Amino acid sequence: DAKTTQPPSMDCAEGRAANLPCNHSTISGNEYVYWYRQIHSQGPQYIIHGLKNNETNEMASLIITEDRKSSTLILPHATLRDTAVYYCIVRATSGSRLTFGEGTQLTVNP
Amino acid sequence: ETGVTQSPTHLIKTRGQQVTLRCSSQSGHNTVSWYQQALGQGPQFIFQYYREEENGRGNFPPRFSGLQFPNYSSELNVNALELDDSALYLCASSFTSGSSYNEQFFGPGTRLTVL
């Protein structure tokens, strides 16, 4: 699975959009981009995933660049409960494991 | 629909002992993966079980072993516990169809402390 690079930490004001970047320059054609988040001492929570088209669900939007070498997770209206570590993971559908990096600690401030 | 559950929530063991952790998968899921998360780090893949067999393993020694049962629940066994085994152990379930692996849903974890 391709390696990802994320900033270690980010801050966001409550009610504003949080835009979390991820670089995955070695991504292969059959690899998806997955996003999970982990609130302190809880299990990781699945957020969204995509291959090459932008995706949106009730939690977030995922924007993948045309060359697929980077992506951005967007939380449109961040709340204090969105404070968590966000992990960007690249994984092939034929791959059984998730390879977690260090993630981005997002802190939403009141 | 019941989510992924794990037991126990917390566990304290001493070095050299053995431990068994349990996981019940989400309804409709047939695959269970186990991860170890040390303090301040991301989860690390231990192994996965599908059709009651190990289906992929991370860089963990043989004293880490597992089982999957016909109802898709799973156990993680760790023998000869070491201090470095202290961590949050996470179980994730998913649905596998052929060679396609879908998103994994995690349980709350078991916090293991080895003294």
Side-chain angles (χ1 to χ4, degrees), chain B residues 19-95:
Chain B
V19 68
T20 297
L21 310 181
R22 295 178 175 81
C23 171
S24 292
S25 59
Q26 184 169 311
S27 176
H29 288 180
N30 58 8
T31 303
V32 173
S33 304
W34 286 93
Y35 294 80
Q36 179 196 66
Q37 185 173 26
L39 203 59
Q41 299 182 18
Q44 300 298 306
F45 176 75
I46 303 175
F47 44 55
Q48 182 183 83
Y49 277 82
Y50 171 58
R51 292 183 173 175
E52 301 179 44
E53 292 188 356
E54 189 178 288
N55 179 47
R57 189 180 182 93
N59 188 26
F60 282 83
R63 59 189 186 84
F64 285 79
S65 63
L67 285 172
Q68 186 181 33
F69 301 99
N71 66 354
Y72 307 120
S73 65
S74 176
E75 286 183 355
L76 165 64
N77 299 289
V78 186
N79 293 321
L81 284 167
E82 301 177 359
L83 297 180
D84 285 348
D85 295 333
S86 294
L88 181 68
Y89 287 85
L90 295 159
C91 165
S93 77
S94 56
F95 178 75

Side-chain angles (χ1 to χ4, degrees), chain A residues 72-103:
Chain A
T72 301
L73 178 74
I74 301 171
L75 307 178
H77 305 287
T79 70
L80 299 179
R81 289 179 295 180
D82 292 322
T83 292
V85 178
Y86 286 76
Y87 295 99
C88 169
I89 298 166
V90 172
R91 173 181 175 234
T93 55
S94 59
S96 60
R97 71 189 66 186
L98 294 171
T99 302
F100 288 82
E102 300 296 321

Side-chain angles (χ1 to χ4, degrees), chain A residues 14-105:
Chain A
E14 189 177 19
R16 305 297 291 266
N19 297 287
L20 293 95
C22 179
N23 287 321
H24 31 79
S25 58
T26 60
I27 192 170
S28 300
N30 67 339
E31 290 180 317
Y32 284 73
V33 179
Y34 283 78
W35 283 84
Y36 281 78
R37 73 180 182 184
Q38 187 172 25
I39 297 170
H40 184 62
S41 294
Q42 297 181 19
Q45 178 188 21
Y46 166 78
I47 302 174
I48 198 168
H49 75 282
L51 183 62
K52 54 183 177 181
N53 297 320
N54 298 336
E55 302 287 345
T56 296
N57 63 19
E58 65 279 4
M59 289 184 68
S61 294
L62 174 60
I63 308 297
I64 302 174
T65 58
E66 191 170 344
D67 63 8
R68 303 209 322 123
K69 292 185 177 181
S70 65
S71 61
T72 301
L73 178 74
I74 301 171
L75 307 178
H77 305 287
T79 70
L80 299 179
R81 289 179 295 180
D82 292 322
T83 292
V85 178
Y86 286 76
Y87 295 99
C88 169
I89 298 166
V90 172
R91 173 181 175 234
T93 55
S94 59
S96 60
R97 71 189 66 186
L98 294 171
T99 302
F100 288 82
E102 300 296 321
T104 296
Q105 171 66 59

